[in-house]
Each structure stands twice: as structure tokens, then as C-alpha cells.
Amino acid sequence: MNAPDRPPRPIRPIQALPDQLISQIAAGEVIERPSAVVKELLENALDAGATHITVRLEQGGVKRIAITDNGRGIPPEQMPLALARHATSKIASLTDLENVGTLGFRGEALASIASVAQLTLTTRTADAAHAWEITGSQEGTVVPASGAPGTTIDVQDLYFNTPARRKFLKSEQTEYGHCAEVVRRIALARPDVTFSLTHNGKTVDHWNTGEFAKRSAHILGDEFANARLPLDESAGPLRLHGFVGLPTASKARADGQYFYVNGRFVRDKLLVHAVRAAYQDVLHGDRYPSYALSLDLDPALVDVNVHPSKIEVRFRDSRSVHQFVFHAVSRALAATSATSFGNAPAPQAAGNGPLPWMRDQQAQPQPQYQNEFGAQLRPNFSAGNFGVAQNTAEYGAMFQPGVQTNLDMASVFGSEAAPGAFAMPVSANTQSLPADDFPLGFALAQLHGIYVLAQNSKGLVVVDMHAAHERILYEQLKNALDDNSMFVQPLLIPVTFYADAVEVGTVEEHQETLSALGFDIAAMSPTTLAVRAVPALLKNADAQTLARDVLRDVREFGGSRVLLERRNELLGTLACHTAVRANRSLTVPEMNALLRQMEATERADQCNHGRPTWSQLALSDMDKLFLRGQ
């Protein structure tokens, strides 16, 4: 391909660039659009100790950006230096640079802005009799002005002297949207500061000083506020705190993700990957979780000077940071069980109290709960079936949250029944439901062989029995593999099936991996494999299907990688094959056993594909459906 015909470039001697051109080059890196100006000025205001900041925009920030704060202000003799390149009060040595504790530190923002816009700096210190003002660049004259203690920086006509750059700007609404997002990011990080945002003379947002919970609810919205989990964990010099959204409140876009390092908003690949990996077990498809998280650590352990806009960071021990964030978020998500938060938004205040019939009973001694068969039921863990319990306390104690049991759910659901059969209790004594001990309540019926209907203190609970059972089995398989306690169920009659040479070779090469997963598979001939044992938790599944799934993943990813990197996907597949299927009729005791096991299982609000396992319909919602009280 021939080079295009261009006029020869004139030969020039090497020479120092003029300061104005240097600042414009820097502006090209730092000030890419109006939102970058807003970011730099807000960071300076916070570094100055401001507790009240007002942001005024016109025409998306292209016409005007004016930011006023009540911070310390700048003495008049230092104002020209504030507009000079690489002049700052925030660092003075390499040691300071390696321990940056401020948001801004390079000392180039104001000079860069002033080189591509009309800038006016008005400031007053607390002990000054009046304010002072300088316009243009460091060559401008400092003159007396009026103003309250603090600083106002007024930036007008961005890129007025570089029209080529201005042509790259988008519409007014688009540029305003970027500016507003920057304000939201910074306001979310500093709930101790009051922020106001106006656009074209109209107040758009105002956030008063308050708690982080309230500020995050205001900025991320009610949907996030009603479906979030608190997180606050520390390990050595690291602390991670904030909120993570429930998986079932995920979004189609990653626009609800806010991560901060020492108060600085970052979009760091390592941190995003750590959070995403923690959600892998509970997130469906290509959905994105919402979260507002802050990582605090010694400034010496993180380098914030790796990107012109300071949106990326580099950790000294990136592996430790990744593992800490991953495990902290994983532990928070493990609490998504019926005993804690539930998969749906938290009920409104009207639905939190006891139901009317419960209030009537509170002053009276509560009788023991009797099921429709007139006896208390509890699982017999050794036999995998049911016996008679003595009282409600004993029944509930078997299913305390976080306690792993050996309940064989596959055995519970092993009996076949007519498809679509409908199980309805005869005379459940609902007035004695122990609301606090059993968040998912007690089973009433089965709907179309798919859903379990139960009554709890808030109203009606609807459970997807396959999804719920799948999560229970999945968590049991993970725990068994982690604890090296994968119990094996020998088959009385081995299951043989035709296998190709690759499958036979996989069995011979990866016996150790297969044994760790609870499988005993042997080659009977060059074309025949025999399944002689399977994991006890999966004993009622189709042995041939399980074996083929395991062999496929082991062959594709390798034995060691399956156990380390692909373990959860494989176990999820096995759990899905074994979970109770639709159109399986369950007895009421079996349905109650499922509810109790859900309450005792981590991440029970979602199946391992990220779909919800249950939903709550509050009594107040049902009252609205039937116009009660209206």
C-alpha cells in the first residue's frame, strides 16, 4: 500500500515549547470534556476541607461551570501560583507522592483548564477581610472582590480557543449527563458533605449531609435501597465497607457500580473482576450487579498516579487485594437466605408487623403447632425420612441458619406421584404459626407441580421448588468438596454405557479428579464404561448422564482446572440434573422440609443460575388486589 501524498514536513530545530502550548497539550489529556473539569474542581474543593459545595452548569457545562465551596480558601499571594503548571500544596517530595492522601496532587488541573477556557478564581480565607479575584492565567492581576470564605471557580466557554476540540463534544444533554454522573460519584463518596447541582438555572439535585446508607439510597434509587446487603470487613491494612445489591435486583447495564479506593472513584479491572467473581454463583446470564463499595488502605500500598484522570490504580499486592474483596463480597452474598434479607425488596412498614390474627394472639400462651396429620414433623437425618418431633423448638433447632445438615433432599423427593397432583392441608392450625422461627412459614399447597405456596407472618410465600432444591444441592456439593467429605454411594448394579475412545481415555487419565468428585467410573472394555459409585447427594440422578457431564468438563478443561476454576460450573450442572423436577407431587411434610432447608442454606434466594427461588406477596399487597380498606 503506497503512502499518501503529503507535502514534506518543514525541518525545525529542537526547541522548548511555550507554556501556553504545554498547558493545552496537558488539557488534551486531563480535560477531555466538561465533566473532567467538574471532577478536577470538586476534588480540589474536597481537598480544601469544604463541607458545602454548589455546582452550577450551563449548556451541559460547555457554556459555564461554576463551583463554589466553603473550604479554606487561598491567600492572595498564592493565587497566581494556583494557576501555574505543576504548582501544588499537596506534595513536596517523592515520599509525599508515594503516600498521596488527597484526591488531587499533580498541580496541573487549573493551568490546563485556564489554557482552554475563560477562568476566574475568587477566594477568601477565614481571616481575610474580603475576597480576592484573578482572571485568565497566572499572569493575571489579583484584585479585591466580594465573597464568603471559601472558593469559587468560574469556567466559561470551554475550548473557545481550540475549536477543533470543541467539535468533538456531544449534545448539551449528553455532556450534562456526564457532568451529573461525576457529581453523583463524588457525592456518594462523601456523605459528610452537602452537594447542590443546578443546570441552566434549575436545581436538579441536592444532597444534605447524612449517613452513607441514606446518600446511597438517594443516588442509586429506591430499588437499590430496598434490595441491598451491608458489608463491612477488615483484614490487616484493608477495610471494605458499603453495600452490595441483591442478585435479583441486577441490571442489564453496569451503570449502578460505584467502587472507591481511599475515597477516590476508580474503575479498576482487578476490583471489578473480584466483585464479579463473587457474584458468579448467584448472577443470572449477562446481568450486572449494583454496589457502592469503598476500599480503605494505607496510601503507600496503592499507586494512584498511573492514569492522567486518576481513574485507575495499581496495588502493591494485587493478589491479596483481589482475594480480600472477593471473599468479603462472597460472605455478604452468602447471607442471601430466607432468614436474613430475602430475594424481593424489603416489605414496606405496613407489612412488617404481625398480622391482625397474630396480634390478637400475642397476649395469650401460644399452643404448639400441629400439622394436618396432628403431629409434629421433623427430618430423620440418618434415615432420610420423617419421624415425630416432640415440640416446635426441637423442630426449629434442626434448621438453624448456617448449620449444614445431612438431610437427603433427593430421598425426600424420591417418591413419584401423579403429574400435577395438588396437595392441600386439611386443617392447619394457622393461628399458632411461629413467625419468627420460620421466615418462609409453612406449606399450604403445591401449584401445577412447580410452585410451593406457603404462609408466613407477612403473607404468602411462593417457592420455585426446582430452583430452591437446586441451590440446596449445589451448596451441599460445594461444602462436601471443600471439606473433603464427598460421601460416595456405591451402586448395587453398576451402570454401563457405550463410550468412545476419548471418554475411556479421560477416565483412565483422571481417576484422582473423578474420585475427588465422588465418582467411581471404570473402563470395562475399549468401548464400555461402568459407573460403580456416585456422590451420595446425587444418588437418585441418572448415573449415565452425570458421568457424561463430568467426563466432558474434565476432558475440556483438565482435571486440576475443573477442581479449581471450573468447579462451580460443574457442580451446578450436577445439582440441576438431580434437583426435583416439575410435575413432581410433594406431600406437605416434604414441602415443609424444603422450606426449612432453604432457611438453613446460604445463597438460598437464588438458584446457581441466578434466578430467584422464592418471592413474598405481602398481605397488604393482596388487600390492594381486592380493594380491601378502600
Side-chain angles (χ1 to χ4, degrees):
M1 186 174 184
N2 296 328
D5 293 332
R6 293 175 181 170
R9 186 173 63 87
I11 299 175
R12 298 191 181 109
I14 298 174
Q15 57 186 350
L17 296 176
D19 286 345
Q20 176 73 2
L21 183 56
I22 293 174
S23 295
Q24 289 175 338
I25 293 172
E29 296 180 348
V30 179
I31 313 302
E32 55 184 346
R33 64 194 326 157
S35 60
V37 175
V38 174
K39 173 181 179 294
E40 297 291 343
L41 299 185
L42 284 178
E43 289 180 347
N44 282 344
L46 292 173
D47 286 341
T51 59
H52 194 293
I53 300 175
T54 300
V55 180
R56 290 169 289 164
L57 305 174
E58 292 181 15
Q59 296 181 16
V62 178
K63 179 65 177 176
R64 187 184 188 195
I65 300 170
I67 296 184
T68 300
D69 68 64
N70 65 343
R72 290 186 292 271
I74 304 171
E77 66 274 11
Q78 296 183 19
M79 291 174 65
L81 271 177
L83 299 181
R85 289 187 303 108
H86 305 308
T88 179
S89 62
K90 300 171 186 178
I91 60 171
S93 65
L94 179 60
T95 301
D96 292 339
L97 183 61
E98 292 176 346
N99 294 270
V100 173
T102 55
L103 296 173
F105 55 87
R106 290 179 171 178
E108 60 182 322
L110 293 183
S112 297
I113 296 169
S115 70
V116 293
Q118 301 286 357
L119 185 147
T120 300
L121 168 61
T122 305
T123 185
R124 176 182 172 185
T125 57
D127 57 353
H130 57 80
W132 296 86
E133 185 175 283
I134 185 172
T135 300
S137 67
Q138 68 182 105
E139 306 299 330
T141 302
V142 178
V143 297
S146 62
T151 299
T152 295
I153 297 181
D154 195 338
V155 178
Q156 299 190 38
D157 296 323
L158 188 62
Y159 298 129
F160 78 99
N161 57 356
T162 52
R165 287 298 304 272
R166 189 160 186 163
K167 290 180 181 178
F168 283 95
L169 297 178
K170 305 301 181 181
S171 67
E172 174 182 329
Q173 198 59 32
T174 297
E175 295 300 340
Y176 165 72
H178 286 290
C179 291
E181 177 61 19
V182 166
V183 177
R184 283 192 291 268
R185 290 173 182 172
I186 294 179
L188 182 57
R190 294 296 302 270
D192 58 323
V193 177
T194 297
F195 289 85
S196 293
L197 172 63
T198 67
H199 186 222
N200 294 336
K202 180 182 178 181
T203 299
V204 179
D205 271 311
H206 180 84
W207 300 287
N208 288 320
T209 302
E211 298 293 328
F212 180 69
K214 185 176 181 180
R215 178 69 59 87
S216 61
H218 192 165
I219 291 177
L220 275 76
D222 292 339
E223 184 179 358
F224 178 78
N226 292 330
R228 63 184 179 182
L229 306 169
L231 188 158
D232 193 340
E233 287 206 20
S234 298
L238 305 177
R239 181 196 175 202
L240 185 67
H241 55 99
F243 294 96
V244 291
L246 289 170
T248 45
S250 59
K251 307 174 70 175
R253 297 187 302 166
D255 58 355
Q257 300 181 348
Y258 295 84
F259 210 116
Y260 301 87
V261 175
N262 289 344
R264 182 192 309 278
F265 176 83
V266 298
R267 190 177 287 114
D268 185 79
K269 293 180 181 178
L270 178 135
L271 298 175
V272 170
H273 182 273
V275 177
R276 182 75 182 183
Y279 271 92
Q280 183 179 8
D281 247 7
V282 292
L283 205 60
H284 177 58
D286 57 356
R287 304 285 293 178
Y288 295 90
S290 296
Y291 50 82
L293 294 171
S294 182
L295 177 65
D296 299 337
L297 71 165
D298 187 337
L301 300 179
V302 57
D303 184 1
V304 298
N305 192 28
V306 297
H307 191 276
S309 64
K310 302 186 289 290
I311 202 169
E312 297 177 7
V313 294
R314 183 182 296 118
F315 298 100
R316 286 196 176 183
D317 189 350
S318 58
R319 178 176 176 82
S320 294
V321 171
H322 182 281
Q323 289 299 97
F324 170 68
V325 172
F326 167 74
H327 287 296
V329 177
S330 294
R331 279 189 287 270
L333 294 175
T336 56
S337 67
T339 55
S340 50
F341 297 93
N343 72 305
Q348 299 300 315
N352 286 337
L355 300 181
W357 56 262
M358 295 184 66
R359 287 194 292 267
D360 296 339
Q361 297 289 330
Q362 282 181 337
Q364 306 174 15
Q366 295 295 315
Q368 293 184 2
Y369 173 75
Q370 299 290 323
N371 65 20
E372 69 275 22
F373 302 110
Q376 286 286 351
L377 297 179
R378 71 162 205 177
N380 180 327
F381 293 97
S382 60
N385 53 22
F386 293 90
V388 177
Q390 299 302 313
N391 52 52
T392 300
E394 182 180 3
Y395 182 57
M398 302 303 296
F399 296 98
Q400 291 301 314
V403 177
Q404 295 298 322
T405 68
N406 292 324
L407 175 61
D408 186 351
M409 299 299 291
S411 294
V412 170
F413 300 126
S415 59
E416 296 289 347
F422 190 76
M424 174 64 78
V426 178
S427 58
N429 186 359
T430 56
Q431 287 195 342
S432 57
L433 278 173
D436 295 333
D437 292 339
F438 306 111
L440 290 180
F442 288 86
L444 297 173
Q446 188 179 11
L447 182 63
H448 290 296
I450 300 174
Y451 301 105
V452 171
L453 307 182
Q455 174 180 299
N456 67 358
S457 63
K458 297 181 179 69
L460 179 68
V461 172
V462 183
V463 176
D464 182 332
M465 66 184 193
H466 173 78
H469 189 209
E470 186 176 356
R471 168 58 72 177
I472 292 169
L473 286 173
Y474 178 49
E475 293 296 328
Q476 289 177 340
L477 287 169
K478 286 198 302 181
N479 292 333
L481 196 57
D482 289 340
D483 299 339
N484 294 318
S485 59
M486 187 72 78
F487 294 109
V488 174
Q489 175 65 53
L491 302 181
L492 184 61
I493 302 176
V495 175
T496 60
F497 59 93
Y498 172 81
D500 58 31
V502 175
E503 288 177 322
V504 173
T506 302
V507 168
E508 293 174 345
E509 293 175 18
H510 298 285
Q511 276 295 326
E512 185 176 344
T513 298
L514 295 173
S515 296
L517 291 168
F519 288 89
D520 182 1
I521 306 175
M524 306 303 292
S525 76
T527 59
T528 305
L529 291 177
V531 183
R532 299 186 296 200
V534 296
L537 291 168
L538 310 179
K539 65 183 180 181
N540 289 320
D542 182 85
Q544 178 179 334
T545 301
L546 292 179
R548 288 193 182 277
D549 284 338
V550 170
L551 294 178
R552 182 192 63 240
D553 280 8
V554 170
R555 179 175 69 251
E556 183 176 354
F557 302 108
S560 59
R561 191 177 173 203
V562 160
L563 291 179
L564 293 176
E565 301 176 25
R566 309 289 300 186
R567 182 196 71 160
N568 289 354
E569 292 94 323
L570 173 59
L571 297 183
T573 299
L574 299 181
C576 186
H577 280 309
T578 312
V580 59
R581 295 297 179 184
N583 295 325
R584 174 74 63 81
S585 179
L586 306 182
T587 66
V588 171
E590 289 170 345
M591 289 187 277
N592 280 324
L594 177 64
L595 298 177
R596 300 293 79 80
Q597 193 69 14
M598 288 175 65
E599 293 166 349
T601 300
E602 293 180 342
R603 306 175 184 87
D605 284 355
Q606 302 85 27
C607 74
N608 49 296
H609 304 297
R611 293 189 296 268
T613 59
W614 68 282
S615 186
Q616 174 82 58
L617 183 61
L619 193 64
S620 58
D621 295 331
M622 289 187 282
D623 287 343
K624 292 178 183 177
L625 288 176
F626 296 99
L627 305 180
R628 291 180 61 87
Q630 299 185 22

